[in-house]
Amino acid sequence: AQSVAQPEDQVNVAEGNPLTVKCTYSVSGNPYLFWYVQYPNRGLQFLLKYITGDNLVKGSYGFEAEFNKSQTSFHLKKPSALVSDSALYFCAVRGRGTALIFGKGTTLSVSS
Amino acid sequence: GAVVSQHPSWVICKSGTSVKIECRSLDFQATTMFWYRQFPKQSLMLMATSNEGSKATYEQGVEKDKFLINHASLTLSTLTVTSAHPEDSSFYICSARTGTGVNTGELFFGEGSRLTVL
């Protein structure tokens, strides 16, 4: 079965510093991987996806993610964090059919 | 990107009543919609997959008679929580998919509906 794991419940960074939110995956076949962000009491906003092609995927709001097949990872990164980046981040993999299977989420807290 | 609208955003109801939540794709036709449930500070759990004109496919452990899903048109899916109880209180999020191929199409999410059952 397809699954993703987000090993960190919370990530704390200072504004201006680089951030990384970790995600590892377990799939049979080719992985279709996604990152979404959720603000309080809101739905999910799409950040980026990996289907095929370049291992470094660039997405919205300056985020990028690196697909690493040997390490089965798809970590989300940003060179310089903003306070407004503070939110809940979900890694997801396309599961059976076309639904997304989500990780447990990582809360990112950026301090000024 | 495409817009998915959910209504209502917030709903409070008494125990034993039924609540309907609507999910609409505003600027595209969605052959498939998904309903998720999210508990506080937890992940989204897929409840069911809804295909236009056919019965929904429920995930294991989700009571189909409790959570009625109707996908009557290409732009509307509804989730009805029947005889709601406090344990049904949760954040319900729908998503809609564009395209028809397995490897194509994007998923767009509604803003969610928070249900509180007293």
Side-chain angles (χ1 to χ4, degrees), chain B residues 50-86:
Chain B
S50 168
N51 290 299
E52 186 265 339
S54 63
K55 291 183 178 180
T57 301
Y58 290 81
E59 295 300 302
Q60 190 173 12
V62 177
E63 301 176 60
K64 61 179 67 177
D65 294 331
K66 174 77 170 175
F67 299 99
L68 299 179
I69 291 172
N70 183 279
H71 194 158
S73 76
L74 287 172
T75 59
L76 174 64
S77 177
T78 59
L79 167 67
T80 301
V81 183
T82 63
S83 186
H85 288 91

Side-chain angles (χ1 to χ4, degrees), chain A residues 4 7 9 15 21 27 31 33 45 51 72 75 77 92 102 104-105:
Chain A
V4 290
D9 290 335
E15 188 174 30
V21 183
V27 302
L33 298 161
Q45 295 179 33
I51 303 297
T72 62
H75 301 331
K77 300 181 179 183
F102 289 88
K104 66 178 182 178

Side-chain angles (χ1 to χ4, degrees), chain A residues 18-87:
Chain A
L19 69 86
T20 299
V21 183
K22 296 180 180 178
C23 173
T24 58
Y25 65 89
S26 174
V27 302
S28 55
N30 295 322
Y32 299 98
L33 298 161
F34 304 78
W35 275 101
Y36 284 84
V37 60
Q38 185 183 34
Y39 295 95
N41 294 310
R42 303 291 297 278
L44 274 67
Q45 295 179 33
F46 171 79
L47 286 178
L48 51 81
K49 67 178 178 181
Y50 173 83
I51 303 297
T52 186
D54 290 340
N55 289 342
L56 184 63
V57 180
K58 293 188 181 296
S60 306
Y61 313 118
F63 285 93
E64 58 188 29
E66 186 170 10
F67 172 70
N68 189 315
K69 188 174 183 178
S70 62
Q71 297 184 4
T72 62
S73 66
F74 189 57
H75 301 331
L76 181 69
K77 300 181 179 183
K78 187 173 183 180
S80 179
L82 300 172
V83 173
S84 57
D85 292 330
S86 299

Side-chain angles (χ1 to χ4, degrees), chain A residues 6 32 34 36 38-46 49 51 88 90-91 94-105 107, chain B residues 10 32 34 36 38 41-46 49 57-59 91 93 97 101-112 114:
Chain A
Q6 294 180 245
Y32 299 98
F34 304 78
Y36 284 84
Q38 185 183 34
Y39 295 95
N41 294 310
R42 303 291 297 278
L44 274 67
Q45 295 179 33
F46 171 79
K49 67 178 178 181
I51 303 297
L88 183 58
F90 289 102
C91 182
R94 182 163 287 172
R96 175 171 53 86
T98 55
L100 292 185
I101 308 300
F102 289 88
K104 66 178 182 178
T107 298
Chain B
W10 299 80
T32 305
F34 305 93
Y36 290 86
Q38 184 181 28
K41 297 184 178 181
Q42 293 191 28
S43 187
L44 284 74
M45 302 302 296
L46 180 65
T49 300
T57 301
Y58 290 81
E59 295 300 302
F91 195 53
I93 302 176
R97 180 171 167 268
V102 173
N103 296 330
T104 62
E106 295 285 346
L107 273 186
F108 296 92
F109 286 81
E111 289 291 298
R114 181 161 300 285

